[in-house]
Amino acid sequence: MTPEQSAILDAVRDGASNLVVEAVAGAGKTSTIVAAVRCVPAHLTCLFCAFNRHVARELETRLPRHVTVGTLHSVGWRVMRRCRPGARIDPDRVPRRLWELTG
């Protein structure tokens, strides 16, 4: 583990601030965030927004149950349905592929 990754885990354990993890591809961001989420007590809820469905599905198997995993689009649609239970996607205004994924 790098000093930067250790600092991230320390900051999560401290819980005093928000974090943004920025790094190049292959630097270990996902592994670091998975390790960090495991430091969060199970009575707290967490949200992990993944870049795409493939990453989200993989992370669902690696993260604890108290962590909600989704893409930004799926999380946004979930919030929309909670705030507006009757909300529907108009298939004439949104590409079919998109509304099939969110249905």
Side-chain angles (χ1 to χ4, degrees), residues 26-91:
K29 293 180 297 292
T30 301
S31 298
T32 303
I33 293 170
V34 168
V37 169
R38 290 186 177 143
C39 297
V40 176
H43 70 279
L44 298 175
T45 57
C46 294
L47 172 63
F48 190 111
C49 290
F51 181 72
N52 61 44
R53 284 185 302 145
H54 174 76
V55 173
R57 286 181 180 155
E58 176 193 340
L59 288 171
E60 283 178 330
T61 66
R62 295 175 60 188
L63 294 172
R65 290 191 177 270
H66 68 282
V67 179
T68 300
V69 179
T71 63
L72 287 174
H73 288 105
S74 69
V75 171
W77 180 238
R78 230 177 290 159
V79 170
M80 176 62 103
R81 287 190 312 211
R82 185 178 302 147
C83 294
R84 299 276 190 202
R88 299 286 180 256
I89 294 175
D90 182 347

Side-chain angles (χ1 to χ4, degrees), residues 8 11-12 17-23 29 33:
I8 291 167
V12 169
S17 63
N18 296 314
L19 299 172
V20 175
V21 177
E22 283 186 81
K29 293 180 297 292
I33 293 170

